[in-house]
Amino acid sequence: MVPFRVTFRAGVSLFEQVVYAAIKAMVSGQLRPGDPFPSVRALSKELKINPNTAHKIVAHLVNEGLLETRPGIGTVVAVLPDSTRKERTQLLGHEIEELVVEAKRLGIELDEMLNSITAHWKHLSSDQSFSTDQPAKLTDQSREEQ
C-alpha cells in the first residue's frame, strides 16, 4: 500500500506529483525515518503509473538522500543528515524566487504572502494526516480566510 495520497492533475507531470506527495509525507511526519517505502512494482501498480516512471521516482528520492535501499529489507525513508540553517535555506532558493515572481505577477503584497505562508506552515505542522492532493487549493483557502 502506498503510504500517501496523490490525486493526479492535468498539466503537471506524474513524476513531479508523486515526488511532491512523497516528500510532503516525509516532511509532515506521515513517513518517518526507517519506514518502508513502496517498491517500484507496488508504486506502479497502486498508482497506475508506468513502471519506468515509478523507477524514476524511487531513483530520484534515493539520489536526493530521502530514501535508502537496504539489502534484504528494501527501500526505506532515510534519516536526514544534519545541516546548517543556511544550507537548508539555500536548497529552497529557486523555489522561493519562483514564488515571489508569481506573487508579484498576481499582485499579492508581501504581508499577504507572509500570512499565507504562516497559515500553510501551521497547517502542515499541526495536521499530521493531511491529504497531499491539490496544494494550490490550500493557497486559495488561506487567501479567503484572511
Side-chain angles (χ1 to χ4, degrees):
M1 180 171 163
V2 176
F4 50 87
R5 242 179 53 196
V6 183
T7 301
F8 294 116
R9 300 178 322 268
V12 181
S13 78
L14 297 176
F15 169 82
E16 290 175 9
Q17 292 180 66
V18 177
V19 166
Y20 175 81
I23 292 172
K24 191 171 180 181
M26 291 174 201
V27 168
S28 72
Q30 188 178 355
L31 280 174
R32 300 182 188 280
D35 283 353
F37 195 82
S39 67
V40 168
R41 182 177 293 163
L43 206 57
S44 172
K45 182 178 179 184
E46 291 189 39
L47 296 179
K48 297 181 175 120
I49 59 175
N50 187 297
N52 292 331
T53 302
H55 181 268
K56 186 178 169 186
I57 291 163
V58 172
H60 176 77
L61 293 170
V62 168
N63 289 338
E64 291 293 314
L66 299 171
L67 296 178
E68 53 188 42
T69 53
R70 295 185 182 164
I73 296 174
T75 305
V76 297
V77 177
V79 175
L80 300 180
D82 290 335
S83 57
T84 66
R85 175 178 283 178
K86 183 178 178 182
E87 289 171 330
R88 291 189 305 265
T89 304
Q90 286 175 342
L91 290 173
L92 293 177
H94 179 72
E95 289 83 357
I96 291 171
E97 183 175 337
E98 286 180 350
L99 179 63
V100 170
V101 168
E102 188 65 14
K104 286 182 170 263
R105 184 184 72 76
L106 294 170
I108 300 171
E109 297 295 325
L110 177 59
D111 61 332
E112 293 176 274
M113 282 305 301
L114 292 175
N115 288 337
S116 180
I117 290 169
T118 300
H120 285 282
W121 191 277
K122 288 178 181 177
H123 174 74
L124 293 174
S125 296
S126 65
D127 186 1
Q128 296 295 313
S129 62
F130 59 85
S131 166
T132 57
D133 48 7
Q134 300 182 358
K137 210 177 213 180
L138 295 175
T139 303
D140 294 340
Q141 287 175 342
S142 61
R143 279 194 204 135
E144 289 171 6
E145 291 170 1
Q146 297 173 10

